[in-house]
Amino acid sequence: DWSSAVCSSDLRWKEIQAAASAADRARQTTQEIEKADMRDLLIARKAIAAQRRESSPHAKLASLYRHRAWSLRALAGVVGAGMLWSAVNVQQNIAPTGPTDPLFWFSYLLEAMISVCLVIIMIGTSKVSEWEVLDSRGQVVAAELALLSLTVGLNTYPYIQAGNWYDVAVHAVAPVMIGVALLIHEAVSSRYGMAIARATEQVRDLPDPA
């Protein structure tokens, strides 16, 4: 009869909907599995490529160059920040009265002269260390110590006269950090230079990577 036909039609429609929903879920599950497989494959390929780079002499040499450049730029930033601090501090020590005093402006030149000499020593030491040139090393060290002593003195002499040792320590931090950065810069240049020379010897006879 009519009511039985309607019930049978509703039942078939529900079965069709259930089948369609099951098919959608199965398709979504398959897609998720395929995406997961693809992600795993990409990660595996990246891992293989990373392993090849780590084991490649050419990649190791390139890594040394990158790390040396980054390290030297960071140390140059430390030296630059210390020099700016010292320049302002020395200016305040020499001419605290303000811009009307001619020394207010010329005091910057005093610290600039010291800073330029230190920068020249820093850059020169880095360059000549690449060629293992060690002549006049004692003179260079003596010049560095003299310049650093001078900038420490210019930064701290008012506080030494006043016996304020806390301010002496505070205002000596920047010039001392310049000296520390110069020492580290020299050591980094020398060590990376030797490492790069050894790495270059290893790759000299190898074919260039495709």
Side-chain angles (χ1 to χ4, degrees):
D1 60 350
W2 182 81
S3 60
S4 297
V6 171
C7 290
S8 178
S9 177
D10 290 341
L11 182 60
R12 285 196 300 273
W13 175 247
K14 291 179 180 179
E15 290 175 351
I16 293 171
Q17 285 184 323
S21 297
D24 288 340
R25 288 194 298 270
R27 185 168 53 255
Q28 291 175 356
T29 301
T30 301
Q31 290 176 350
E32 290 175 359
I33 292 174
E34 290 176 350
K35 289 180 181 178
D37 290 341
M38 184 61 68
R39 285 195 299 268
D40 292 341
L41 179 60
L42 291 174
I43 292 173
R45 288 180 177 176
K46 289 180 180 178
I48 293 172
Q51 178 61 32
R52 288 176 178 173
R53 287 194 299 270
E54 290 178 0
S55 60
S56 168
H58 293 91
K60 291 179 180 179
L61 178 58
S63 178
L64 282 172
Y65 271 104
R66 287 194 299 269
H67 280 83
R68 184 180 70 169
W70 178 88
S71 299
L72 296 184
R73 282 195 293 267
L75 288 170
V78 172
V79 173
M83 288 176 177
L84 289 174
W85 171 281
S86 295
V88 174
N89 191 48
V90 169
Q91 183 272 322
Q92 291 295 319
N93 292 340
I94 293 177
T97 54
T100 55
D101 187 346
L103 286 177
F104 180 89
W105 305 106
F106 285 104
S107 58
Y108 286 112
L109 296 178
L110 179 61
E111 182 65 21
M113 288 188 293
I114 300 172
S115 299
V116 168
C117 292
L118 287 172
V119 169
I120 290 173
I121 291 174
M122 182 178 69
I123 296 175
T125 300
S126 174
K127 291 299 181 182
V128 299
S129 65
E130 297 176 3
W131 300 94
E132 298 183 357
V133 177
L134 303 176
D135 295 344
S136 305
R137 184 68 194 111
Q139 295 177 356
V140 173
V141 171
E144 288 178 339
L145 291 175
L147 291 169
L148 290 172
S149 299
L150 180 58
T151 190
V152 169
L154 289 172
N155 275 273
T156 59
Y157 78 88
Y159 312 104
I160 294 176
Q161 291 177 344
N164 190 340
W165 299 108
Y166 173 78
D167 283 337
V168 169
V170 169
H171 289 84
V173 169
V176 168
M177 283 302 301
I178 293 174
V180 172
L182 289 173
L183 291 175
I184 297 175
H185 186 280
E186 181 178 351
V188 167
S189 298
S190 177
R191 294 179 67 185
Y192 273 107
M194 290 188 292
I196 289 171
R198 294 177 183 177
T200 303
E201 289 295 328
Q202 291 184 4
V203 303
R204 193 182 303 278
D205 298 328
L206 296 176
D208 292 335

